């Protein structure tokens, strides 16, 4: 039985949610945090390969031969500039793609090449074969000497094949004809 005034206080606390973060394929890339617990109303933003949520920044980094492509958040592809307010549990997944590289084919003095640049996937094989250079299975550049000159060699001997692991350059060298 209550015999006088009674004061009752209700106490509340903010809801907390888990943002689960993962890589689409660990062999292609990884994230530096697997989950973040945030308060209801926290902001989640995407800026390139980083995801910021509730003041915590998570980065996605590709393994050798791969680079970050995009975030999938809540089942939708998201890119830089995306922002949302967290009102429940969130799933974020980082996706990766094969790294792109450039093979630059130069001509030394007194000659030319039929194609000067190729954009290729990481790991593509480049092979020199006489005055030609084959890039992958379908691309080719041929060195041609100016009048009075002949093809001498390439600046790198890739006759056995070279697996591209970044941007590379190779130069066709020419020499004067001797009679």
């Amino acid at each position: 039985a209550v015999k006088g005034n009674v004061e009752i206080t209700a106490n509340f606390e903010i809801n907390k949610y888990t943002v689960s973060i993962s890589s689409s394929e660990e062999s292609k890339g990884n994230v530096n945090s697997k989950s973040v617990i945030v308060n209801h109303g926290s902001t989640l933003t995407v800026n390139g390969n980083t995801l910021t949520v509730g003041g915590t920044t998570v980065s996605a980094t590709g393994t050798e031969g791969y680079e970050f492509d995009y975030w999938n958040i809540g089942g939708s592809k998201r890119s830089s500039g995306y922002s949302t307010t967290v009102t429940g549990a969130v799933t974020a997944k980082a996706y990766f793609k094969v790294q792109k590289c450039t093979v630059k084919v130069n001509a030394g003095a007194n000659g030319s090449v039929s194609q000067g640049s190729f954009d290729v996937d990481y790991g593509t094989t480049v092979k020199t074969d006489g005055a030609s250079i084959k890039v992958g299975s379908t691309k080719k550049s041929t060195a041609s000497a100016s009048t009075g000159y002949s093809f001498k060699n390439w600046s790198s001997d890739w006759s056995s094949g070279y697996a591209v692991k970044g941007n590379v350059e190779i130069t066709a060298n020419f020499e004067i004809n001797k009679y």
Side-chain angles (χ1 to χ4, degrees):
V2 176
K3 298 189 178 197
N5 292 337
V6 176
E7 188 174 311
I8 299 174
T9 302
N11 294 311
F12 301 92
E13 65 181 23
I14 194 162
N15 290 338
K16 295 185 182 297
Y17 305 111
T18 300
V19 178
S20 300
I21 306 159
S22 63
S23 169
S24 60
E25 290 183 58
E26 293 288 332
S27 64
K28 293 181 179 181
N30 52 62
V31 293
N32 64 343
S33 180
K34 301 294 183 189
S35 69
V36 178
I37 297 173
V38 298
N39 290 336
H40 175 89
S42 293
T43 301
L44 181 148
T45 57
V46 171
N47 184 14
N49 71 321
T50 61
L51 179 77
T52 303
V53 60
T56 299
T57 299
V58 177
S59 297
T61 306
T63 57
E64 183 177 345
Y66 293 91
E67 60 191 6
F68 175 79
D69 192 13
Y70 67 91
W71 289 102
N72 181 305
I73 299 172
S76 298
K77 184 177 179 179
R78 305 296 183 184
S79 56
S80 281
Y82 173 76
S83 183
T84 190
T85 301
V86 177
T87 58
V90 176
T91 300
K93 192 174 281 193
Y95 282 78
F96 301 89
K97 63 184 177 182
V98 174
Q99 179 182 339
K100 295 294 183 186
C101 305
T102 300
V103 176
K104 187 172 180 186
V105 182
N106 302 309
N110 304 302
S112 62
V113 292
S114 60
Q115 183 161 343
S117 182
F118 299 94
D119 291 324
V120 300
D121 287 344
Y122 183 97
T124 297
T125 300
V126 178
K127 189 173 184 178
T128 54
D129 183 16
S132 294
I133 185 165
K134 296 175 184 172
V135 180
S137 59
T138 60
K139 300 174 183 176
K140 180 178 172 181
S141 184
T142 303
S144 300
S146 300
T147 303
Y149 291 83
S150 58
F151 173 79
K152 179 180 179 183
N153 61 16
W154 292 99
S155 58
S156 295
D157 179 10
W158 293 342
S159 57
S160 298
Y162 170 78
V164 176
K165 295 185 178 182
N167 297 333
V168 293
E169 290 189 40
I170 190 166
T171 301
N173 297 309
F174 304 93
E175 62 186 351
I176 195 164
N177 292 336
K178 296 180 182 171
Y179 304 102

